[in-house]
């Protein structure tokens, strides 16, 4: 399956993406995680992206489209992929379509804004493998340590109330229109992501026609 995950910051794209990746045995490609890795490694893309991310703005379309096209041309994507965080603008959706890459479904995870700020303020992320945790709703087995790879859990630089507010605004203005784009293509399905992680997974599987 070639799947796209859409949703506001903190909707659970990373969390559900990880569960779907195990279920479907395909990789998740998170553009946010790729950009944060680029910042950490001080690459050209990282240098360019840093300020945009820290202010909660989108990095320019041409930069991210190039990064994603390169990633999708790697052999492991032939068996399917889950795109988390791309496309995020109509121009990105259009570029993906023009590249001829087949998309089977676009899953929108829907969560109201008032739930988001609380969720993101208490998120932790693995500094090595980028797995998401939450200090109440998704605790690691050992405090501050990733269950999967043993990496240290950190708080993301863009998870502060001011930047979260900006990310939400950018989502509504620039990303939400892609839902109409994919609805028009007959690819959009929706799952409510407001309840627990487990209940959201059930909604997600139902929307995608997968067995729980
Ligand atoms: P990105 O990393 O994609 O961030 P985002 O879209 O803001 O989404 P998040 O990663 O914050 O949330 P999520 O939906 O993955 O939620 P999670 O599962 O972690 O992008 C960051 C930045 O990179 C952008 O702002 C932009 O600057 C740049 N960028 C990236 N892609 C780009 C593109 N295509 N074009 C331009 N710029 C781009 O869950 C959140 C928390 O809630 C966790 O703690 C989790 O444990 C918890 N949680 C999850 N589900 C539930 C639940 N049901 N109940 C309770 N808690 C839950
Ligand atoms: Mg994420």
């Amino acid at each position: 399956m070639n799947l796209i995950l859409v949703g506001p910051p903190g909707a659970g794209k990373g969390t559900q993406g990880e569960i779907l990746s195990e279920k479907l045995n395909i990789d998740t490609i998170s553009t946010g995680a790729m950009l944060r890795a680029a910042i950490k490694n001080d690459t050209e893309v990282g240098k360019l992206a840093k300020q945009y991310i820290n202010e909660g703005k989108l990095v320019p379309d041409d930069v991210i489209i190039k990064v994603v096209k390169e990633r999708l041309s790697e052999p492991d994507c032939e068996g399917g992929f889950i795109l988390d965080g791309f496309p995020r603008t109509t121009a990105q959706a259009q570029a993906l379509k023009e590249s001829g890459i087949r998309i089977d479904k676009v899953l929108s995870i829907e969560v109201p804004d008032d739930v988001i700020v609380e969720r993101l303020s208490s998120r932790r992320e693995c500094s090595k493998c980028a797995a998401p945790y939450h200090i109440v709703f998704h605790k690691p087995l050992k405090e501050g340590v990733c269950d999967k790879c043993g990496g240290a859990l950190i708080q993301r630089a863009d998870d502060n109330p001011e930047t979260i507010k900006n990310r939400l605004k950018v989502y509504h203005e620039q990303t939400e229109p892609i839902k109409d784009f994919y609805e028009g293509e007959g690819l959009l399905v929706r799952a409510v992501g407001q309840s627990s992680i487990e209940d959201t997974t059930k909604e997600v599987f139902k929307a995608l026609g997968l067995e729980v």
Side-chain angles (χ1 to χ4, degrees), residues 4 14 16 22 38 52 55 70 106 108 116 123 144 148 152 159-160 163 171 204 209:
I4 291 173
Q16 299 301 331
E22 272 178 37
Y52 290 101
E55 290 175 10
E70 275 171 17
V106 177
S108 166
I116 300 291
R123 168 167 57 189
K148 296 201 166 63
D159 277 349
N160 61 78
T163 312
Y171 172 75
V204 164

Side-chain angles (χ1 to χ4, degrees), residues 8-15 30 32-33 36 84-85 88 120 123 125 130 132 156 167:
K13 301 182 294 296
T15 303
S30 160
R36 286 185 289 280
D84 161 3
R88 245 179 160 97
L120 288 183
R123 168 167 57 189
E125 184 175 277
R156 266 169 49 176
R167 285 158 63 200

Side-chain angles (χ1 to χ4, degrees), residues 120-125 152-160:
L120 288 183
S121 307
S122 303
R123 168 167 57 189
R124 298 294 179 270
E125 184 175 277
L153 302 187
I154 52 158
Q155 193 159 18
R156 266 169 49 176
D158 57 349
D159 277 349
N160 61 78

